[in-house]
Amino acid sequence: MNRAMELFKGCVYRLTAILCFFFVSDANAQEFNMMDTTLTSCSGTLYDSGGPLASYGNNENLSVLIQTGGTLSIAFQGNFSLESAGDTLFIYNGTSTSAPLLGAYTGNTVPGPLTVFSGAALVVFHSDGAIPSAGFALSWSANIPVPVPPTLSVNNVPGCNASQFNIQLSSPVQCAWLDDATINVSAAGNSIPVSALLTNCAAGQTAILTVQLAQPLTYNCTYSITLNMSIPNSCGQLFPFTLGASFPFANCGVNAQLMSDQST
């Protein structure tokens, strides 16, 4: 049996794409002092208005809304020192003071950890007109949901002798995530050279990838596509996914020659 017939009889093409993604995020937790503001950082440390080295001021009424969209874990760090007669720290499970109150803290006892399931915590600090103290420091981190990857499909099966085909993504991906993509195509255990992987970007996104092959498709096979890719969530955490699809290819006719060996 010649090599062409071996490929024809046992042909299963497998396409594997390994996508390397680089998502820049701040490796150091950010630090903030109390002021009237909204924070959307997925993690950080919040100090009283005096910061880590100074006391807070008199007659303060400050509100910080920590809003990340994911469940928040809050823990107090170091010493906790508020004037027990008139200075209080309030934490609400929501975006306003009408939300459920998680705790009202004063004095010198370090509060315990909190979990905020609403995805938003309103931190309110009030001080009276005398005797400011060292203050507080609290840290938070958000548990952001795992991103949902797109699914793959090949809706338009290429014709015989085609040297490229398109992969459709069910939802767009950022083109920057595809900058270092590598791709491998093989048939019956044999590697087939790939000329290029085109991302077809528009406005920084794409939902169609074009695979260009160095040689045309001439064998009727089932093509299996596998993409290994990492997708960041809104906090910049990378999650690896293996995405797959397959499509039948039967667009090339079979050329057969019948030969007879007759003997008399």
Side-chain angles (χ1 to χ4, degrees):
M1 182 181 296
N2 62 36
R3 183 57 178 162
M5 286 301 295
E6 289 178 1
L7 280 173
F8 178 76
K9 292 177 67 66
C11 180
V12 175
Y13 284 77
R14 179 170 297 275
L15 177 151
T16 302
I18 301 175
L19 309 181
C20 301
F21 298 92
F22 297 89
F23 190 88
V24 178
S25 61
D26 188 357
N28 301 314
Q30 300 182 66
E31 297 183 345
F32 307 90
N33 293 349
M34 279 295 301
M35 64 179 67
D36 292 324
T37 190
T38 297
L39 303 176
T40 57
S41 300
C42 293
S43 63
T45 300
L46 177 64
Y47 297 98
D48 59 85
S49 62
L53 302 177
S55 300
Y56 55 84
N58 291 326
N59 300 312
E60 291 187 350
N61 287 284
L62 302 172
S63 299
V64 172
L65 176 60
I66 302 172
Q67 192 167 25
T68 64
T71 300
L72 290 168
S73 297
I74 297 177
F76 285 85
Q77 307 295 324
N79 296 325
F80 183 89
S81 180
L82 303 182
E83 183 203 3
S84 58
D87 301 345
T88 308
L89 179 70
F90 305 89
I91 300 180
Y92 297 88
N93 185 7
T95 60
S96 71
T97 55
S98 63
L101 179 64
L102 294 175
Y105 309 105
T106 189
N108 298 303
T109 300
V110 179
L114 299 171
T115 300
V116 183
F117 293 102
S118 68
L122 181 65
V123 182
V124 178
F125 179 70
H126 168 79
S127 65
D128 63 13
I131 316 177
S133 191
F136 65 89
L138 64 83
S139 64
W140 78 90
S141 61
N143 182 15
I144 301 298
V146 174
V148 178
T151 58
L152 308 180
S153 61
V154 177
N155 297 331
N156 299 312
V157 177
C160 186
N161 293 314
S163 58
Q164 69 178 37
F165 60 90
N166 290 334
I167 303 171
Q168 284 76 34
L169 283 66
S170 61
S171 59
V173 299
Q174 296 296 320
C175 291
W177 303 348
L178 302 170
D179 285 345
D180 296 287
T182 59
I183 193 167
N184 178 69
V185 179
S186 63
N190 297 287
S191 179
I192 298 176
V194 175
S195 300
L197 177 63
L198 307 181
T199 57
N200 306 299
C201 289
Q205 295 184 327
T206 185
I208 298 177
L209 304 179
T210 300
V211 180
Q212 291 187 336
L213 303 173
Q215 62 189 56
L217 303 176
T218 56
Y219 301 106
N220 296 325
C221 304
T222 296
Y223 288 76
S224 296
I225 306 168
T226 303
L227 268 69
N228 297 311
M229 58 187 296
S230 294
I231 300 176
N233 65 10
S234 59
C235 287
Q237 298 168 303
L238 289 174
F239 293 85
F241 295 97
T242 298
L243 311 178
S246 62
F247 66 95
F249 178 77
N251 291 336
C252 288
V254 178
N255 294 322
Q257 181 178 10
L258 299 178
M259 299 181 67
S260 175
D261 182 10
Q262 295 181 348
S263 59
T264 57

